[in-house]
Amino acid sequence: MSNLSRNISTNGKRLFIARHGETIFNLAGRIQGNDAHTPLTQRGFAQADEMGRALALYLGGFCNLDLVASDTGRALQTLSIVCEHIELDWHNTIPDSRLREIDMGEWEGVYYSKLNGQLQVDHQQGLFLTQAPGGETYRDIVNRLKTWLADQAFDRDMLLISHGMTSRVLRGLLTGQPPLELINAPIAESLPQGSMVQIVDGEETIVHLGAGESEKA
């Protein structure tokens, strides 16, 4: 799963990366975006719980991780549950808007079924191929993630909770994936909701493979 040709150094530090658990919008088939508060479902809480248990087992004891998350409610909810298992104080979390999901503009909150073919998707890759009116492209995600990465000292291990598309782009950048022609951006493979990976100096390892769905695309 690694590609070391253009990877980003983490100074040997471990980055544990996951997307949030299932939300009420995921369950209902609505486009999520960032502005609407979309709480976790019972299954979403269970996914976060599983990731927390898996991470605690993987760490095998106390580890003083930096806590970082998208500033959306669903990402912070997920992180709070994971933190219970590794006995870290969620209040030390650094929320960052640059880790938000792809902005879906005017389509936020719209049911996928109501778009009547306006949103083109690549179902095999799990990618949006249409830029939402007033929304972002994958290159926009790359640009904001690059500013976030440039700000990181990578002097401690980190736990990071983000979103489906954004975490895939982040993983693609960290592991040196070449830009995918369809979206003109590096992107890692899609993993089921409830999954967590570790990335160290460009090499990715699955910490926990969840049983949830992939991105709605």
Side-chain angles (χ1 to χ4, degrees):
M1 294 182 64
S2 63
N3 181 334
L4 301 178
S5 60
R6 303 181 187 87
N7 64 75
I8 294 174
S9 171
T10 62
N11 296 327
K13 302 304 180 183
R14 299 177 292 181
L15 272 65
F16 297 99
I17 300 173
R19 63 188 291 208
H20 60 79
E22 182 190 74
T23 71
I24 57 173
F25 270 29
N26 291 146
L27 186 62
R30 298 176 69 178
I31 293 178
Q32 204 138 221
N34 294 294
D35 292 331
H37 178 48
T38 57
L40 302 184
T41 61
Q42 290 186 19
R43 182 160 52 185
F45 276 104
Q47 290 166 349
D49 207 41
E50 288 176 6
M51 288 192 291
R53 284 197 300 269
L55 181 58
L57 183 63
Y58 190 85
L59 292 172
F62 178 76
C63 186
N64 195 13
L65 302 171
D66 282 341
L67 304 175
V68 180
S70 160
D71 62 353
T72 60
R74 59 194 187 272
L76 293 167
Q77 274 188 304
T78 301
L79 182 59
S80 69
I81 297 166
V82 174
C83 282
E84 290 186 39
H85 290 273
I86 56 177
E87 298 183 1
L88 292 181
D89 186 355
W90 172 86
H91 295 95
N92 292 325
T93 300
I94 302 172
D96 198 308
S97 61
R98 292 173 294 184
L99 300 175
R100 285 184 166 200
E101 184 57 294
I102 187 169
D103 187 340
M104 293 303 289
E106 296 176 14
W107 287 347
E108 180 170 327
V110 176
Y111 288 91
Y112 285 86
S113 60
K114 300 294 185 182
L115 286 174
N116 298 318
Q118 296 177 73
L119 175 61
Q120 295 183 336
V121 299
D122 183 315
H123 294 286
Q124 183 174 1
Q125 298 274 3
L127 298 170
F128 298 135
L129 301 182
T130 307
Q131 182 178 359
E136 286 185 308
T137 66
Y138 286 92
R139 284 304 309 176
D140 292 326
I141 300 177
V142 169
N143 290 338
R144 56 180 162 87
L145 287 178
K146 281 185 173 180
T147 68
W148 181 82
L149 286 165
D151 287 344
Q152 306 311 305
F154 294 123
D155 53 4
R156 297 209 309 175
D157 294 339
M158 179 185 296
L159 170 60
L160 185 154
I161 305 295
S162 184
H163 303 269
M165 301 298 187
T166 301
S167 64
R168 289 179 64 188
V169 174
L170 179 59
R171 290 166 51 219
L173 287 168
L174 286 166
T175 58
Q177 300 299 318
L180 184 65
E181 186 175 351
L182 280 172
I183 58 173
N184 189 31
I187 195 159
E189 66 178 307
S190 179
L191 294 173
Q193 206 155 27
S195 299
M196 180 179 288
V197 303
Q198 171 193 276
I199 297 179
V200 181
D201 293 333
E203 185 163 359
E204 179 174 281
T205 303
I206 293 178
V207 173
H208 180 67
L209 190 63
E213 296 183 354
S214 297
E215 293 79 26
K216 281 294 186 181

